[in-house]
């Protein structure tokens, strides 16, 4: 009995590992998809005029105390790069936000409206692929949980295992395509987007890394599931050969 229980325990461990990886992938993908930190950077904008008693380096000062008087001659001390200030921004699939100058909070805009018209179709394809990625991950998680809790038939368990492996692999491929399409769209928006949005410096944010981590967990879950399926099939074939061999021996040398 012990040799038979060891493969069963190993199979259950593999199923639990695949489910854990798939669940992590689902959580990471939903978090990344709903956040706006796929890309972060700064924008270089001209400083606004100082109003009232506002002071500091974030606005342009005049030499005249009557700054609101249009007849007064106003001299701006700032020249060159001193006339500009860098504003932090972050963007995701759904919207892009940037900090306000001399005010608290952020100003957000829809990222779809910022995308060039020629690339909006690719962005919508990326969004659809991301939604399908999340949906297939959810289906894969449900199938893996059913497989873990299903004790009736080994054959039925193998069928569920094979289907969950196919779904997980398909989800990983869709996730990879979606992430790559969004990367292309963002780079095109940086080059051809509105002048009042184009970043001065930018880099990928934590959501982008989380999205690719989700893809890595998804593929690891798929490999673990396929490995479990292949190992179970090989064990069946091995047991079948042993059984056929024992029948042949009994047929050649029957007991008297």
């Amino acid at each position: 009995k012990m040799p038979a229980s060891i493969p069963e325990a190993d199979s259950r461990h593999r199923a639990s590992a695949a489910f854990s990886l798939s669940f992590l992938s689902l959580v990471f993908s939903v978090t990344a998809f709903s956040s706006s930190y796929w890309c972060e950077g700064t924008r270089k904008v001209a400083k606004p005029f100082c109003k009232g008693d506002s002071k500091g380096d974030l606005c342009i000062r005049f030499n005249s105390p009557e700054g609101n008087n249009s007849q007064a001659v106003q001299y701006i001390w700032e020249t060159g790069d001193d006339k500009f200030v860098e504003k932090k921004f972050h963007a995701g699939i759904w919207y892009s936000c940037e900090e306000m100058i001399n005010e608290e909070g952020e100003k957000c805009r829809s990222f779809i409206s910022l995308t060039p018209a020629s690339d909006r179709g690719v962005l919508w394809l990326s969004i659809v692929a991301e939604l399908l990625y999340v949906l297939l991950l959810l289906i894969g998680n449900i199938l893996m949980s059913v497989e873990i809790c299903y004790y009736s038939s080994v054959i039925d368990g193998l069928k569920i295992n094979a289907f969950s492996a196919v779904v997980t692999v398909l989800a990983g491929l869709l996730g990879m395509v979606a992430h790559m399409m969004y990367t292309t769209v963002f780079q095109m928006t940086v080059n051809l987007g509105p002048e009042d949005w184009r970043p001065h410096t930018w880099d990928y944010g934590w959501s982008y890394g989380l999205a690719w981590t989700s893809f890595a967990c998804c593929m690891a879950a798929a490999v673990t599931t396929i490995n479990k399926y292949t190992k179970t099939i090989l064990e069946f074939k091995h047991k079948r050969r042993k059984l056929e061999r024992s029948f042949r021996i009994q047929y050649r040398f029957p007991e008297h």
Side-chain angles (χ1 to χ4, degrees), residues 1-243:
K1 292 183 179 180
M2 275 300 286
S5 63
I6 291 175
E8 184 179 348
D10 181 63
S11 177
R12 196 164 295 280
H13 287 320
R14 288 174 185 271
S16 300
F19 174 76
S20 300
L21 288 168
S22 183
F23 182 75
L24 277 177
S25 179
L26 178 63
V27 172
F28 290 163
S29 64
V30 171
T31 305
F33 186 61
S34 59
S35 68
S36 62
Y37 285 86
W38 285 61
C39 299
E40 300 178 78
T42 58
R43 288 190 58 239
K44 198 172 185 180
V45 297
K47 292 180 182 178
F49 296 127
C50 293
K51 296 179 182 179
D53 298 331
S54 59
K55 297 179 181 179
D57 298 329
L58 300 180
C59 61
I60 297 176
R61 296 181 296 274
F62 302 106
N63 67 329
S64 171
E66 299 178 356
N68 295 325
N69 188 356
S70 60
Q71 297 178 353
V73 180
Q74 300 173 356
Y75 297 98
I76 300 174
W77 295 106
E78 283 83 355
T79 58
D81 288 340
D82 293 333
K83 293 169 61 177
F84 298 94
V85 63
E86 290 188 347
K87 296 169 61 176
K88 293 181 180 179
F89 86 98
H90 54 89
I93 293 177
W94 297 107
Y95 51 90
S96 173
C97 298
E98 61 183 41
E99 63 180 351
M100 305 284 286
I101 300 178
N102 294 324
E103 295 181 21
E104 294 184 358
E106 294 180 328
K107 176 185 176 183
C108 295
R109 290 182 284 180
S110 170
F111 184 74
I112 299 172
S113 63
L114 299 171
T115 308
S118 59
D119 295 314
R120 283 178 189 169
V122 181
L123 180 60
W124 279 113
L125 282 176
S126 173
I127 292 173
V128 171
E130 286 284 352
L131 288 172
L132 288 174
Y133 173 54
V134 173
L135 179 62
L136 288 175
L137 280 176
L138 180 61
I139 294 173
N141 272 269
I142 293 172
L143 289 172
M144 290 178 188
S145 61
V146 168
E147 182 191 354
I148 291 173
C149 302
Y150 200 73
Y151 302 102
S152 177
S153 171
V154 179
I155 301 299
D156 290 340
L158 271 176
K159 291 178 181 178
I160 296 173
N161 184 249
F163 192 55
S164 62
V166 172
V167 168
T168 310
V169 169
L170 185 60
L173 293 176
L174 277 172
M176 179 183 66
V177 171
H179 303 343
M180 293 176 68
M181 282 195 296
Y182 176 78
T183 304
T184 303
V185 169
F186 185 83
Q187 291 175 352
M188 293 299 293
T189 307
V190 168
N191 296 325
L192 303 175
E195 290 285 348
D196 62 342
W197 178 84
R198 293 184 192 177
H200 178 60
T201 59
W202 66 276
D203 201 353
Y204 297 110
W206 61 266
S207 295
Y208 188 78
L210 199 65
W212 282 107
T213 304
S214 169
F215 165 74
C217 290
C218 176
M219 296 311 294
V223 170
T224 305
T225 307
I226 293 171
N227 181 266
K228 176 181 177 295
Y229 177 83
T230 306
K231 188 172 182 180
T232 306
I233 292 294
L234 291 175
E235 287 175 355
F236 267 113
K237 288 183 177 180
H238 181 66
K239 289 178 180 179
R240 184 178 178 182
R241 288 172 184 171
K242 286 179 66 178
L243 191 62

